Structures are given as C-alpha cells and as structure tokens.
Amino acid sequence: MNFDPRYSGRNFTSVGTRPLRPDGVDKVTGRARYGADFNMAGQLVGRVLRSPHAHATIRRIDTSKAEKLAGVKAVITAADLPDLTDGDAAMYDILDNCMAREKALYDGHAVAAVAAVDARTARQALKLIEVDYEVLPHVTDVDEAMKHTAPLLNDAIFTEGLEEKPAKPSNVTKRTQFGHGDIHEGFGRADFVVERSFKTEQTHQGYIEPHACVANVSSDGTADLWVCTQGHFVYRQHCAQLLGMEASKLRVTSSEIGGGFGGKTHVWAEPVALALSRKAGRPVKLVMTRDEVFRASGPTSATSIDVRIGARKDGTITAAEATLRYSCGPYAGMWAEIGAMTAFACYRLENVRTVGYEVLVNRPKTAAYRAPSAPMAAFAVESAIDELAKEIGMDPVEFRIRNAAQEGTRSSYGPVYGPIGIGPTLEAAKNHPHMKAPLGKNQGRGMACGFWFNFGGQTCTDLNIGMDGSVSLAVGTVDVGGSRASLSLVAAEELGIAYEQVKAVVADTSSLGYNDMTDGSRGTFSSSMATISAARNAIKILRERAAQMWDIPIDDVVWEKGHAIAKGEKYGNLAALSLREIAAASGKTGGPIAGHSELVADGAGVSFATHICDIEVDPETGATRVLRYTVVQDAGKAVHPTYVEGQYQGGAAQGIGWALNEEYVYGKDGRLQNPGFLDYRIPVCSDLPMIDTQILEIPNPNHPYGVRGVGETSIVPPLAAIANAVSNAAGVRMTHIPMSPPRILAAIEAERGGRWSK
Amino acid sequence: MRYIRPLSMEDAVGQLASSPGTAAILAGGSDLLVRMKGGFIEPDLIVDIKAIDGLGEIRETAEGFIIGAAVSCALMGESAALKREWPGVVEAAKLIGSKQVQGRCTIVGNLCNASPAADSVPALVAAGAMALIAGPGGRRTAAVEAVPTGPGKTSLAKGEIIEAILLDRRAPRSGDAYLRFIPRTEMDIAVVSAGVNLTLDEQGVVKSARVALGAVAPTVLLVEEAAEALIGRKLDEAALERLAKVCSGACRPIDDKRGTVEFRRKVAGVLARRAATTAYARAGGK
Ligand SMILES: Cc1cc2nc3c(=O)[nH]c(=O)nc-3n(C[C@H](O)[C@H](O)[C@H](O)COP(=O)(O)OP(=O)(O)OC[C@H]3O[C@@H](n4cnc5c(N)ncnc54)[C@H](O)[C@@H]3O)c2cc1C
C-alpha cells in the first residue's frame, strides 16, 4: 500500500465542526449497553474470593464445602489456571495477579472464584472456601520498601540496571537513567539552586463503570467474551494465552465503556470468568463491586521524588536532576522509568539527569492512568521550577518561556524534537486574560506545564459503502471519548460527503485485524490515519467504477467533493457521478465497494500543555476551593473540537481530584481503609469551576491532517499547577499530594511556627 | 427475612417486641440498606414505619414542633415555620447526602444510626430537642443526646421506636446554627462539626447557650464549658477565643482516614466560633 501519512495543509469541510456524537442518544436514554448489560440464557454469577491480608503464603485452599453447596457450578483456584506463559515474565505476573498462586501479595488479591446460579449462592459459597494463610510481614510505603530491612515481596528479584549485579534480593526491581551533559559542571555555574523532596499518594482512575464481562466457553473449545475494555484485541491475546486457546477461537466484543483512563488496559476478571465458564460449561457473568475495583484493579503509583535544579541570575537553567521512586504494586513495572523520561521533557537543558527506581510494595498491581507516571514527575519538577523562578525574582511564565524546549531541542529522554507546542502554550497562557485577573484575600494563582509522548501503533479499519450510498466505518479502537464521531468526520472529509452519511462502529475481534488498544492517546490519531487510508482506497474503487460506467480510462477520473468527475475537455458533456449513484450501480459494476486499511501509525507527535488555576485556601481549616481553571494545549488539529475540549476538561478534573483529596489510605494492617467513593474522594460537580480551554493547533508533520493525540496530556500539569496555587495562597510550599485540608493546615501551622491549639 | 409495613404504632411495637430474631426499623433506609448491602447486617425482620398514621407529618403546636419519625429531611426544608424558628436544625438536615438522599432520609434515622458524625444530631442536641419514644411499656421522652451511646449503639430497648422529635417554640432573641467540615462541597461525612443555639437578653448579652460537637468523640458532645464561655457576654473576640479553645480541648478525637487528631481539635474550635457568630446574628445580636 502506498499511503502517505505526511501532513498536507488543506482546507477542511467536516473536520473541525461539532456535530452530535452517534452514541449520544443511546447513552443519555440508558439504551447503550455497558459491560454489565450483556446477558445470556443460563448464565451463572461469578464471584471472587480475595485475600484479606497484605502479604501471606497460601498454604492450602479447601474448596470442597463450597463445591457441595447446591447451586454452585464451578469453583476455581490457581490450579485451574495453570502456568502456560512459557517464560514470559510479564504474562506470568498478569496470571498471578488474576489468581494468586503461592502468595497473596496485597489486600484484595484474588485467591479463588465461584460460579453459581445466583449472587446469593455465590456469596455463600465464598464463605465456605477455607484458605489457610501464613501471614507475612508487609510493606506498603514506597520509601519503606526500599530499605534493606523491609520485608521482601519476591526473593528472586535482584535490582536490574546497576553496574554490578547485587548480592542480595531487593524490592527495587530496576534502576533506569536518562539525560545528557554534565550536571556537576552545570550546578557549578548556577547562581541559585532549589532542592526539594516530594511525595504523591496512590490514586485510582475512578471510572464510574466497574469491570464487567460475560464469558461463554463452548465444549468445542471456542469462546465468546463480552467485556468493558479499552482494547478487546489485547484482551483476546492475553486471555487466549493464559487459557491456552488459539486467539482466533476467542471472539471478544467490547461494550460501551463507562471510563477506563488506562485502568481497562489490563485483564483481571476476564481470564477468571473464562476459566469458570470452561469448568461450569455455562456462560458466566462477572461484575466487580466498587470495593473490588479499588482493592484489586487500577491504581497508579505512589511516589517519592527528589528534585534539584540550578539556574543563573539571568534565568537560564544550568543543570537539572531528579531521583524518582515509583511503587509498582507487587510486580515489576516501568513506571519510574516513564516518570524519569517525562520529568524534564518541557525544557531545553544542557545538563540533565534523571534516575528512576521501580519499587515493589504490597498494594495492587499498578496500572496505567492517563499519561501514566508523568503527573507526579511534573508535580515535583514544576514545583521546583516555580520556586526557582521566585528565588531568581522572575515571573514563573517568563522563566519557563526562557527555558522551554523548541524544534531541534534534544529532549531530556533522548530524541530531538520536531515542531512542538510548549513555547506556544506558554505564550498563550501568558497572554490569557486569566493571568491578569485580580486575586482576593487568601487566593493564589499557579501555573504549570506538562508533556506526554503520545503513541500510535497497529491499526486496522474497514470502510464499507452501502448500495444506498451510506458509509459504515468499522474501527478496532474502543471509543472512550467520542472517537466514533471524530472518525466519521474524517471519513466524511476524505470522501467528500456529509457526516450524517457515515456511521462508525467498534467491530469485534473476529471482524477486523489486530488493533492495539485505546491508550497512549492513540485512538483518534491512529484510527483517523487508518480511516483516511481506507477512504482513499475506497475512492480508488469508486473512480474505477465511474470509469467503467462511463467507459473511459480510470486515469481520467478524479474524485472531488463526493463525486467522480471526468477530467478534461473531451468529456465535457458527462455529468459528475455522485457517491450515491456509483454505489447504486455497484451490483452491476463489480459488487460491493469497500476500502480497507492496515497500518502501523508512526510519528504520533509529542504533546504539551500549560495550565493556570486560582485557588482559595481557608487558613483556619485548610479547606480549598478551585476558583478558576484554564487549560491551554496543542491538539495538532482538533478533529471534533468539543470532544477535544472534553478531554482537556476531563484530565484537569481528574488532576484536581488527585491534587486535593484522592488517595489510597492503608491501615497498619496493610488493608485498604477507603475502598469506596465515600472516602476515596473524587471531586463532585460542585467542587469544580467550569474549566476553560484553549486549543492550539501546531500540525503534527506525521499525520495527513496534522492530528496529535489529546487524551492524556491534560492530566499532567494539574498536580503542579494546583500545588503552586495553594503554595501561593497559603504562603507555604506544599510538597505532599494530595493537599488535603489536614495536610494544608499542618503546613500552615508549621510555617507559622505555631502549635496546634490545645 | 420478613418485611412488614404496619399501619399503627401499637402494631409496629408489638411486632418488634415479639420478634424472635434480629429486627430492624426501616425509615428512609439510607443507612440500613447500605449496611445490608455491605453484608454487615442480615435482619430477620424489617419493620417499615413509613405507613404509620401521622409519622410522616410535621405538626405545629403551642409548645413547639412535633417532627414525625418518617418525615424526610427534604420535607423539613419545605416547612417555612420550622426553617424560621430552627434554621440550624434544618440546615443540618439539609446537609445530609444529596437531594436524592434527602428525599428519603430522616433525622430519627440519622440519630438512631448512632454515627458520631451524624449531621443533624449536634444541631438537635444544641437545640435541646427531645425524642418521643413508643415502646411495649408505653411512651416516654428522652433528651436527644441520651439516645446514641456509642458508634452504632443506642439506649433504645427492644421493641422501642422513636415516634417523633420534639422541638420547643423558638424563644425570643434566640438563634441556632450548624456547620460541618468536609473536604468536598457535598456527598461527604463530617470530619468535625459544631451546632450552637443561643438566647440573648435585651442588651444582646448571651443568656443561655448550648454548644454541641460532632465527629470528635464516640458520641456527639454537649460541651457545657463552651456554653459557659458565652453566657453573660456579648459575642466579643475574647468570648469567641475562649469558646474555640474550650471546644478544641473538649474533643476526644481519633486519627482516621477522614482526618487527624490535631486537625479535628483545631477545626472544632474554628467551626464552633463560626457557628456561634451565625447563631448570634440570627438571634439579632450585633
Ligand atoms: C449517599 C449517602 C450520603 C450520606 N450522607 C450523609 C451526610 O452527609 N450526613 C449524615 O449525617 N449522614 C449521611 N448519610 C447517612 C444517612 O443518610 C443518614 O444517617 C440518614 O439520616 C439516615 O436516615 P434514614 O431515615 O434513611 O435511616 P434508616 O436507614 O432507615 O435507619 C437508620 C438506623 O436507624 C434506625 N431507625 C430508623 N428509624 C427509627 C426509629 N423511628 N426508631 C428507632 N430506630 C430507628 C434503623 O433501624 C437503622 O438502624 C448518607 C448516606 C448515604 C447513602
């Protein structure tokens, strides 16, 4: 295929407009089908037994009593999910996380599961399963886990990435390092140096829809899985591998999704539901409770980060350094590595070094959360940048502009940037009316920048033209934020027809080739590229058919505004043929007309944002109120601006929750204290102001329309922007996220040197 | 599990008293159903009191208000007379949960759930509210603060049902107020709370006062020393300082997922002070 993905400046007709989304009416009327809305005749209820211990050896599991209970159709343990991972360590971790094998590694770790005729029987059966645990010492704090005295989660782990292989096992699975230049030399030239340590607590993606699936394994070895996921093709691969099936025999259909944000890129319940169905010989529906969602799925890393930045009096940064420790849950990850890569990505630095440590703790396995790892690194770095600007006596925006990365800058993590948006977002922020608005008593303003890589990846799309001239678009990237609307706009743009003539669906795994999942802000970027390519392939066929209808050579037929046009003087009398007319004749000109595309979408184009916010702090209680919030972000090209704005606002809202109140609270016993939305405090509507957005469009050279991913970057700056605002309002630097009222009040009191009134 | 919906108080009391297993009274259900769903309790008998004659009404008499045990908090918010005379009690009831929750929940349920953080309770205690209790041995009244005895525990005997909450008519030159601290703007449980009710003399000097604190001890605290800090004074800075100090000192809080000991102590004083200022203004003090 000779598809040219390069950007070609063009005028758009459909792209950039704001039509209603095709899935909107069904969603607001309750007709849309989410994970738990699938049902099958004869389906059983699956439920999972979870470890109440943070760390324990599983000596023995006795399921005999549960099996004897009337109405129980299957009970499974790790023995029913034998290890077929064949040395693939990452897959083994996924397997062990789905069903604990030798040890329970966190409060909530699955140890057994049942399928029964109803929920009550299933619940009773769980109580009848006897698990003999040997409780082990546990560690949940990232800094504690790094100490030599900490309980070891896995004594086969020796820190990778050190110069010498260590003699003793450790909870630190890996050390990574990025950067260039000579930081010692750089700090030597600095007039001002800021050095600080920061902590962030663990948060959950907080999607409203819990994980849910229905699994149906047939006795012939084929199976169906209906599931709420961000990537049904990836779920198919993982489930097939874990259950020893051929991928093509497992058909996975994705439901509508009530939020994922990275948390639905990982299998938890699905292999368990399939194993239960296989054993019971009946369909099994498994829906996690909110308690299970918090205890066993999600969360992001908790972190501990040290930052040091030096600058000259004129505001030039001479050196920057960060050490980042990220918790991974009980299995190896690359979370600190990503944090170390993103930490200084906004800046043009001569001398920079970041070091990341991946740390095992007795908490649930860390999963991606919207620009995973970047918000915490940005919090630490952007806080220090703000403080440094103050010490130098420079405006924080000017200081950042002076040091911002540009086209041609070698990034702190290696690559050299093409055209990028950090400078323009900073300039836009500087000129935004928000920056000049007056502040009242106890109010503070903060701003911060953020970076995210954006991903592309494998994509496969089908575009079919019906005989009535309507177009159905089948894509393989799950729609998490309006991408069906955006992709329909792209198809309409390319074909030159109306948006309303296109209907996009997310196809199941048996209907399309492999697609990577909707993560890394890749959904619209990569599927729009595939849609353009599929549409261009369809246009080629449309031209062929028109040529046939006219009986002229195809090279004399061009496609313009939804019509085939016979080129040149000699065909002067031929009226243009519309897509509809060509489609109507297709039965006689060679059959159905379709365009297909399979590609690896490269060159996703990095993304930058600058956020501004105003916060009021009650100095007597530490209570905060977000007064105003503005997001400025580069979209490359906003295909559907409303949904781009929605992504900007959503990321900011999640970041505000993370910054102010969301956190996993563990007791001394290693048990999660707040596995519910009452005490895991995501913001409610009345906590948020209207979040203002400004879309910048700096075309991505590697996409025909200039599109960049927009889904994730918006969660990167808020932690830092809010921390800077709170610090300015309260008059004390906040270094621990979330900045809950007790933490703010304690910081204010400590700063005053005052003691708590007794 | 058996569910019944008696039409008379006598029937309800009789069924409760004679039930052999565990029994639960159902008002709005916004605590009870949550606890049942969470698997914390599995009652054998559920007695729904919402169909009992008169329980869903607020009655105004010469002595005061009789708020039936099945009156939802939303309904309290719609009673102009109650709002005028006991704004602090109504604002506390209207802080519970959300609009949806308030459509179901009751202040009696809030009281009998016996959470130290219950929002309406400090306001009721400050108001000097009484509970009218029906039981196998007849009717009795008890001060609201005597009902909860610890987290999840009450002084009600088997078969006893609270029929109504009784509030006096508002005395001249008096006012009440309730404030709670939550990290969010709504849908949260009080980390600390304070209710203040006071009456002034003609010179604007505090004649009598009641100060109650929530979420800082196993039960709501009626802090007499705090009332003493106000009585005999106008609400000057020194009185407020003293009030805050006494309230902070009276707290016996714990560290938990919702807040620290230090935070609760400090903020109890801040809220008491702010609530007193509002109550004073409502009483016409200047
Ligand atoms: C989403 C949500 C948010 C909430 N937010 C808050 C909040 O902000 N502040 C707050 O304080 N609470 C809150 N709650 C808790 C709850 O709503 C309140 O405690 C409410 O007032 C309970 O009233 P109810 O009528 O629903 O009680 P029910 O659930 O019906 O009963 C509660 C308890 O009282 C007993 N009981 C009920 N009536 C009587 C009676 N007449 N005599 C004797 N015993 C009786 C019941 O047996 C049960 O033990 C919230 C609950 C939910 C679900």
Side-chain angles (χ1 to χ4, degrees):
Chain A
M1 220 185 316
N2 53 354
F3 174 65
D4 180 4
R6 277 174 306 170
Y7 174 67
S8 62
R10 61 185 276 172
N11 295 322
F12 294 107
T13 307
S14 294
V15 163
T17 62
R18 301 169 181 251
L20 288 180
R21 61 204 287 166
D23 46 317
V25 170
D26 280 358
K27 280 181 174 161
V28 297
T29 56
R31 211 171 275 124
R33 299 222 291 167
Y34 290 88
D37 296 325
F38 287 92
N39 289 297
M40 287 196 75
Q43 114 197 336
L44 302 171
V45 177
R47 288 200 65 89
V48 177
L49 183 69
R50 299 184 180 278
S51 167
H53 305 297
H55 196 191
T57 303
I58 301 169
R59 285 211 203 95
R60 196 177 53 89
I61 304 183
D62 184 350
T63 59
S64 57
K65 285 195 192 120
E67 278 155 15
K68 286 194 199 100
L69 183 70
V72 172
K73 302 297 177 188
V75 183
I76 63 162
T77 63
D80 298 277
L81 280 164
D83 177 14
L84 306 171
T85 60
D86 198 21
D88 180 339
M91 280 311 289
Y92 181 84
D93 289 347
I94 292 175
L95 175 70
D96 192 60
N97 190 44
C98 286
M99 193 60 74
R101 310 186 81 76
E102 279 140 34
K103 288 208 289 187
L105 292 164
Y106 55 93
D107 164 38
H109 199 167
V111 294
V114 301
V117 290
D118 56 33
R120 197 161 163 270
T121 311
R123 268 201 306 271
Q124 278 180 321
L126 291 188
K127 288 188 189 148
L128 295 174
I129 298 174
E130 289 167 15
V131 188
D132 181 7
Y133 292 106
E134 182 193 340
V135 178
L136 303 169
H138 65 270
V139 59
T140 54
D141 180 80
V142 61
D143 288 321
E144 289 298 318
M146 288 184 77
K147 292 184 179 158
H148 298 297
T149 49
L152 280 181
L153 274 82
N154 184 342
D155 55 20
I157 286 186
F158 294 81
T159 310
E160 283 176 43
L162 300 181
E163 282 180 7
E164 283 172 42
K165 187 182 176 206
K168 282 201 199 136
S170 156
N171 288 326
V172 179
T173 64
K174 197 174 169 191
R175 177 189 184 279
T176 47
Q177 185 176 321
F178 297 89
H180 52 251
D182 177 349
I183 58 165
H184 299 293
E185 184 272 329
F187 281 115
R189 283 192 290 121
D191 298 316
F192 297 93
V193 175
V194 162
E195 187 168 4
R196 278 233 185 239
S197 296
F198 300 88
K199 273 201 111 152
T200 68
E201 295 300 329
Q202 181 169 293
T203 56
H204 194 276
Q205 296 83 349
Y207 30 84
I208 299 302
E209 186 192 7
H211 301 269
C213 65
V214 177
N216 186 26
V217 182
S218 167
S219 53
D220 67 4
T222 63
D224 269 295
L225 180 69
W226 292 267
V227 61
C228 175
T229 172
Q230 287 174 250
H232 44 318
F233 290 90
V234 174
Y235 273 32
R236 178 184 66 173
Q237 301 269 96
H238 288 181
C239 289
Q241 196 179 343
L242 295 181
L243 279 109
M245 299 176 69
E246 284 175 283
S248 300
K249 302 267 169 74
L250 172 60
R251 176 174 165 195
V252 184
T253 307
S254 63
S255 69
E256 290 292 349
I257 181 166
F261 313 110
K264 287 174 186 162
T265 59
H266 190 293
V267 292
W268 279 281
E270 300 74 15
V272 174
L274 284 162
L276 283 169
S277 174
R278 179 167 66 184
K279 195 162 180 181
R282 282 169 62 172
V284 172
K285 180 165 175 172
L286 211 165
V287 181
M288 281 164 84
T289 63
R290 182 62 58 191
D291 175 278
E292 290 179 289
V293 169
F294 274 111
R295 285 168 69 209
S297 82
T300 184
S301 303
T303 72
S304 156
I305 303 173
D306 305 329
V307 176
R308 189 154 75 112
I309 310 176
R312 283 205 309 264
K313 279 193 219 102
D314 67 357
T316 314
I317 297 177
T318 55
E321 177 185 25
T323 304
L324 307 98
R325 310 163 197 91
Y326 279 51
S327 72
C328 300
Y331 307 102
M334 51 181 296
W335 309 109
E337 184 171 351
I338 301 173
M341 290 169 84
T342 61
F344 290 107
C346 292
Y347 299 103
R348 192 181 67 246
L349 300 170
E350 258 177 78
N351 308 298
V352 55
R353 182 172 76 192
T354 57
V355 175
Y357 292 100
E358 317 289 346
V359 187
L360 301 189
V361 292
N362 293 110
R363 294 179 179 228
K365 184 173 193 264
T366 297
Y369 180 15
R370 211 167 187 162
S373 301
M376 307 81 129
F379 160 58
V381 167
E382 292 291 294
S383 295
I385 290 270
D386 236 50
E387 210 175 338
L388 191 53
K390 269 211 186 81
E391 294 214 356
I392 298 171
M394 255 178 107
D395 175 74
V397 189
E398 290 296 345
F399 182 56
R400 286 174 172 89
I401 290 174
R402 185 174 180 100
N403 293 288
Q406 299 160 341
E407 184 165 2
T409 297
R410 179 165 178 212
S411 68
S412 57
Y413 65 99
V416 173
Y417 289 133
I420 55 170
I422 180 65
T425 65
L426 278 164
E427 293 288 349
K430 181 178 147 189
N431 296 319
H432 198 284
H434 185 167
M435 272 300 187
K436 292 161 201 93
L439 287 169
K441 197 174 167 228
N442 296 323
Q443 297 179 352
R445 177 163 299 142
M447 52 85 55
C449 301
F451 156 88
W452 186 242
F453 308 96
N454 287 344
F455 298 153
Q458 299 186 61
T459 313
C460 183
T461 295
D462 264 345
L463 188 151
N464 289 290
I465 300 176
M467 282 194 283
D468 63 354
S470 66
V471 172
S472 66
L473 182 65
V475 300
T477 42
V478 172
D479 178 355
V480 300
S483 60
R484 275 167 294 187
S486 301
L487 299 174
S488 298
L489 281 172
V490 167
E493 183 74 50
E494 204 59 38
L495 292 169
I497 58 174
Y499 168 78
E500 291 72 23
Q501 238 171 298
V502 185
K503 168 81 179 171
V505 299
V506 179
D508 67 57
T509 58
S510 294
S511 308
L512 273 183
Y514 177 81
N515 277 269
D516 285 331
M517 53 195 161
T518 303
D519 66 355
S521 298
R522 69 175 290 276
T524 297
F525 166 74
S526 51
S527 272
S528 68
M529 198 185 272
T531 299
I532 293 167
S533 158
R536 288 181 183 172
N537 290 334
I539 288 169
K540 183 157 175 282
I541 296 170
L542 287 162
R543 283 171 49 227
E544 272 168 23
R545 298 299 176 84
Q548 201 180 324
M549 288 163 77
W550 283 322
D551 196 18
I552 65 173
I554 182 174
D555 288 344
D556 289 350
V557 181
V558 292
W559 190 259
E560 267 172 28
K561 295 186 179 148
H563 291 76
I565 291 169
K567 200 166 55 174
E569 291 273 299
K570 55 185 163 171
Y571 306 123
N573 293 334
L574 287 176
L577 280 170
S578 71
L579 181 141
R580 251 183 239 285
E581 287 163 327
I582 300 167
S586 62
K588 292 188 222 90
T589 59
I593 301 170
H596 187 73
S597 164
E598 57 271 318
L599 49 80
V600 176
D602 286 326
V606 292
S607 166
F608 293 90
T610 297
H611 290 198
I612 317 163
C613 76
D614 296 349
I615 305 265
E616 182 170 308
V617 173
D618 180 339
E620 288 188 312
T621 64
T624 48
R625 200 153 60 90
V626 186
L627 304 165
R628 184 168 179 181
Y629 202 101
T630 304
V631 176
V632 185
Q633 188 178 318
D634 173 20
K637 173 71 203 171
V639 176
H640 191 305
T642 303
Y643 302 147
V644 171
E645 288 158 3
Q647 292 298 315
Y648 290 8
Q649 292 170 322
Q654 287 184 312
I656 290 169
W658 191 343
L660 294 177
N661 281 305
E662 292 180 38
E663 75 180 294
Y664 268 49
V665 180
Y666 278 91
K668 286 204 174 60
D669 56 5
R671 289 187 185 146
L672 184 60
Q673 305 277 300
N674 57 337
F677 280 136
L678 187 56
D679 288 306
Y680 180 86
R681 297 188 171 96
I682 64 174
V684 297
C685 204
S686 50
D687 290 328
L688 299 174
M690 184 62 194
I691 293 163
D692 197 8
T693 58
Q694 187 177 346
I695 300 173
L696 303 187
E697 294 185 329
I698 296 137
N700 174 5
N702 307 311
H703 184 284
Y705 295 176
V707 170
R708 297 175 196 262
V710 298
E712 291 170 292
T713 311
S714 53
I715 203 175
V716 183
L719 276 56
I722 294 165
N724 288 336
V726 170
S727 302
N728 289 335
V732 48
R733 175 58 51 187
M734 297 302 300
T735 58
H736 195 160
I737 295 266
M739 294 169 284
S740 57
R743 284 203 185 104
I744 291 176
L745 191 56
I748 291 173
E749 294 276 315
E751 182 75 7
R752 280 196 199 126
R755 284 183 304 119
W756 300 94
S757 47
K758 281 272 146 30
Chain B
M1 186 171 71
R2 211 154 59 86
Y3 167 88
I4 58 167
R5 196 174 162 86
L7 300 175
S8 74
M9 190 51 90
E10 287 61 41
D11 187 18
V13 167
Q15 296 259 19
L16 263 182
S18 62
S19 79
T22 54
I25 299 165
L26 175 72
S30 61
D31 280 315
L32 189 68
L33 298 192
V34 174
R35 287 168 55 74
M36 285 169 62
K37 192 168 175 224
F40 299 107
I41 45 165
E42 281 183 52
D44 301 306
L45 175 70
I46 291 180
V47 182
D48 185 344
I49 58 169
K50 288 192 288 297
I52 295 174
D53 205 28
L55 241 60
E57 291 165 22
I58 303 172
R59 269 177 294 153
E60 236 183 293
T61 68
E63 291 79 48
F65 294 89
I66 304 172
I67 305 169
V71 170
S72 69
C73 292
L75 202 62
M76 289 174 65
E78 284 167 16
S79 164
L82 194 61
K83 257 172 38 188
R84 191 175 54 243
E85 299 202 20
W86 292 102
V89 171
V90 176
E91 75 196 353
K94 293 285 288 172
L95 279 175
I96 296 177
S98 58
K99 265 210 162 55
Q100 293 91 328
V101 174
Q102 285 155 25
R104 300 296 291 181
C105 73
T106 63
I107 51 172
V108 175
N110 198 220
L111 178 67
C112 295
N113 185 54
S115 157
D119 274 310
S120 68
V121 180
L124 288 171
V125 170
M130 303 291 287
L132 173 63
I133 302 165
R139 284 186 165 72
R140 67 179 178 104
T141 54
V144 157
E145 56 271 28
V147 175
T149 54
K153 293 203 185 72
T154 69
S155 57
L156 297 176
K158 186 173 164 76
E160 282 193 323
I161 301 176
I162 295 186
E163 194 170 342
I165 296 292
L166 312 177
L167 281 170
D168 288 344
R169 286 238 88 108
R170 159 78 52 213
R173 292 180 304 280
S174 68
D176 71 334
Y178 173 78
L179 284 175
R180 69 169 177 184
F181 186 87
I182 55 171
R184 288 184 292 197
T185 44
E186 56 184 328
M187 292 302 286
D188 226 325
I189 301 293
V191 184
V192 199
S193 64
V196 176
N197 179 32
L198 39 80
T199 304
L200 314 180
D201 67 13
E202 267 143 28
Q203 279 70 49
V205 172
V206 179
K207 206 163 66 173
S208 65
R210 282 168 73 89
V211 178
L213 300 175
V216 292
T219 60
V220 167
L221 294 179
L222 177 64
V223 188
E224 279 169 23
E225 219 191 314
E228 283 158 20
L230 301 176
I231 292 170
R233 325 187 57 146
K234 290 193 169 184
L235 217 61
D236 51 39
E237 184 54 32
L240 286 171
E241 273 287 292
R242 170 106 192 105
L243 170 74
K245 198 156 188 244
V246 168
C247 285
S248 292
C251 296
R252 283 177 276 126
I254 52 167
D255 275 326
D256 68 6
K257 60 194 171 189
R258 296 191 183 130
T260 57
V261 167
E262 289 82 359
F263 180 79
R264 287 187 160 110
R265 277 229 172 85
K266 161 98 193 182
V267 176
V270 173
L271 293 188
R273 192 190 155 114
R274 291 178 182 177
T277 307
T278 304
Y280 189 72
R282 283 177 179 166
K286 283 183 194 91

